[in-house]
Amino acid sequence: MSLSFPFPVSRRRFVAGAAAVAAAGPLLITPAGGYARIRNGLGTTLPAGVFTLGVASGDPLPDGVVLWTRLAPQPTTGGGMPTQNFAVDWEVAEDPGFNRIVQRGTATATPEYAHSVHVEVQGLRPDAVYHYRFRAGDQISPAGRTRTAPAADARPSRLRFAFASCQDYQAGYYTAYQHLAAEDLAFVAFLGDYIYESPANPAAIRRHEGTGEPTGLVQYRNRHARYRTDPDLQAAHAAFPWIVTLDDHEIDNNWADEIPQDPDQQSPQAFRARRTAAFQAYYEHMPLRRSSLPSGLDMQVYRRLRFGALASVHVLDTRQYRSDQPATLAAAQDPALTMTGPEQEQWLTEGLQSSGTTWNLLANQVMWAQNDRKAGPEQVFDFDNWDGYRVQRRRLLELFGAGQVTNPVVLTGDRHCTWVCDLRPDFDDPATPVVGAELTGTSITSGGNPDVAAFHATYDPIMAESPHWRYIDNRRGYVVCDADGQRLLSSLRVVDTVWAQAATVRTAAQFVVEAGRPGIAEVDEQAMPARAPRGPVFDVHDDQRSFPLRP
């Protein structure tokens, strides 16, 4: 099996999940081995223009993928669908003209899940490209392209994928996705901050819907729909399967388990209700399997995917189970603090040790490498990152260095900048061995256009004191990774602006991790182009100032 989950499932989750399934209506098995709702209450006239949010696929296995769409003729004002079930036909073909259909079936879009559709297609060939589409009534969706994973025992010669994160709608246009959609990729890993919960800002490049932060289910649905209406984001989803995980802004900035950013303003009961609503809306808009269907406060996000003998992707969840952030460096040394919770840590540890693949890739939200924010002897840290959970971090990094984990590479989002680092158990002692590599990618839009000179004026002096930092940059874009049996070559792809509706893209730098040699073996920085239009200096994950003004 190429997709794994922690077992056993608790009785609370099983009973709650079964109740949710029963409430939505009985299931039948489709010919493809997936699930479809029996058609109850069908017959209401279907509104026009239901496929406003495009299509997507995700979590590729050797024999299938998840296919997603949502019927929403009025996407940012509640969806606009009648409170009835609607049949949605789907088909998968070997060719873009849909002349060679290999799978088809019918699912039912229900109002309980915002008329979203999640089809778990099975019976496909491994490591193969397919095309898919949906039909509701006489309306046909845009077509998508997807790809299955190699067989579990296959030995593919290469795996090419991209990772991205942090796409604040108000910070700019998704010019990076115009270029990402044209890449040759097996999948895209999205590492968190798919939406931002910020209220609409009239001074922003473009505005969120609504008047305040989302807190209820309809508001979170409208916020997700605002993002999903973007044509460049739709194109990137339609081009490849996505492997998604969430970070903080899908709910509330810097939340930790059941603790909001501002507990003096959100009661425990109010935040639990907000988290429940946000999780459901997230599931409704992501190409996730039924195993990730939320049950109240709980949603199964951490999971593992295998791409033959070449790579395992360990998808982390660093929000649901974490301890509250410490306030001081001394408090960050508390061994009781956890970023993942003990069960997820055990799942990760066992999965890393037994993966049997050349590369172990961790799809991770917040930065692992130590990241001082101030030059000179005084150290200043953001304790929302792994810098706040130092004992657990050291324990995992010592596991990396114990010879039981093959070629670990951490792929990280969150920072709105690129930070390429060597990982070692003790970052304050450069003599300790390097045990792995971390590639922290920049944002799609968050932070707006960068002020490159101001960024380097602040962080170059700190880099001189941080020998594990190998490369830093603050331009917008994404990272493309090309793995084979000998090396992982990663290319930082940056756009020249997010303040216009189109932009050019270039490779700013490349980074090499060699199999059998922990850390970053090589950094190849390309010549710096003319500086992008001046933007705010606060693009280093300063979420209290996340709105760039119009240029």
Side-chain angles (χ1 to χ4, degrees), residues 66 76 141 185 198 299 357 469:
V66 181
T76 61
S141 75
L185 306 172
S198 313
M299 180 168 64
T357 54
W469 295 8

Side-chain angles (χ1 to χ4, degrees), residues 334-405:
D334 184 349
L337 295 180
T338 176
M339 182 73 82
T340 63
E343 287 152 6
Q344 183 180 183
E345 182 177 351
Q346 181 180 359
W347 167 87
L348 176 61
T349 297
E350 293 174 351
L352 288 168
Q353 292 173 315
S354 64
S355 72
T357 54
T358 301
W359 298 98
N360 280 286
L361 309 173
L362 283 71
N364 166 71
Q365 292 81 10
V366 294
M367 196 165 170
W368 279 54
Q370 183 165 289
N371 201 281
D372 189 5
R373 304 300 179 91
K374 186 174 182 179
E378 181 185 1
Q379 291 183 310
V380 177
F381 298 105
D382 178 357
F383 294 120
D384 186 64
N385 296 329
W386 281 86
D387 277 328
Y389 303 79
R390 290 172 173 250
V391 175
Q392 185 189 21
R393 177 176 67 183
R394 180 162 189 149
R395 183 165 61 243
L396 289 169
L397 291 177
E398 287 175 346
L399 174 71
F400 287 7
Q404 301 177 53
V405 180

Side-chain angles (χ1 to χ4, degrees), residues 280-302:
Q280 178 166 335
Y282 182 81
Y283 174 82
E284 291 169 349
H285 290 85
M286 296 296 128
L288 290 166
R289 296 181 180 276
R290 179 165 295 277
S291 49
S292 292
L293 180 68
S295 175
L297 285 176
D298 300 322
M299 180 168 64
Q300 188 63 56
V301 174
Y302 66 92

Side-chain angles (χ1 to χ4, degrees), residues 164-177 190 193-196 205-206 208 227 230 232 416-417 442-450 474-478 495 497-500 536 538-539 546-548:
S165 65
C166 303
Q167 54 182 30
D168 187 347
Y169 184 88
Q170 297 193 133
Y173 297 100
Y174 294 152
T175 53
Y177 283 138
F190 192 86
D193 294 345
Y194 191 94
I195 64 168
Y196 278 69
I205 296 298
R206 51 183 184 169
H208 283 147
Y227 282 60
D230 185 275
D232 297 321
H416 308 172
C417 300
T442 185
S443 64
I444 293 293
T445 58
S446 299
N449 279 356
N474 70 331
R475 288 167 286 179
R476 309 281 78 83
Y478 55 92
V495 290
T497 183
V498 296
W499 286 351
F538 53 81
D539 58 351
S546 60
F547 298 120

Side-chain angles (χ1 to χ4, degrees), residues 80-150:
M81 289 290 292
T83 55
Q84 301 243 345
N85 296 350
F86 285 88
V88 179
D89 299 320
W90 56 269
E91 57 186 7
V92 178
E94 294 180 325
D95 66 301
F98 290 86
N99 297 309
R100 300 190 301 276
I101 305 295
V102 296
Q103 295 279 1
R104 57 163 49 101
T106 301
T108 300
T110 69
E112 290 81 3
Y113 294 107
H115 293 96
S116 63
V117 174
H118 299 73
V119 178
E120 299 184 25
V121 182
Q122 295 177 322
L124 303 179
R125 293 181 292 110
D127 202 14
V129 172
Y130 290 95
H131 303 265
Y132 63 95
R133 63 187 178 186
F134 299 88
R135 178 157 72 177
D138 60 358
Q139 300 178 53
I140 300 176
S141 75
R145 176 186 178 276
T146 193
R147 183 170 185 162
T148 54

Side-chain angles (χ1 to χ4, degrees), residues 240-318:
F240 325 101
W242 282 39
I243 300 170
V244 299
T245 187
L246 53 77
D247 193 22
D248 54 341
H249 290 292
E250 287 86 353
I251 301 179
D252 183 35
N253 183 45
N254 287 358
W255 67 280
D257 195 4
E258 297 185 28
I259 304 170
Q261 177 190 21
D262 46 6
D264 57 328
Q265 298 182 40
Q266 299 184 69
S267 70
Q269 181 180 10
F271 185 70
R272 286 194 292 268
R274 184 179 189 181
R275 172 172 156 172
T276 298
F279 275 6
Q280 178 166 335
Y282 182 81
Y283 174 82
E284 291 169 349
H285 290 85
M286 296 296 128
L288 290 166
R289 296 181 180 276
R290 179 165 295 277
S291 49
S292 292
L293 180 68
S295 175
L297 285 176
D298 300 322
M299 180 168 64
Q300 188 63 56
V301 174
Y302 66 92
R303 59 203 190 278
R304 183 175 297 112
L305 296 100
R306 181 183 174 101
F307 293 83
L310 189 56
S312 294
V313 179
H314 311 266
V315 183
L316 302 189
D317 176 351
T318 59

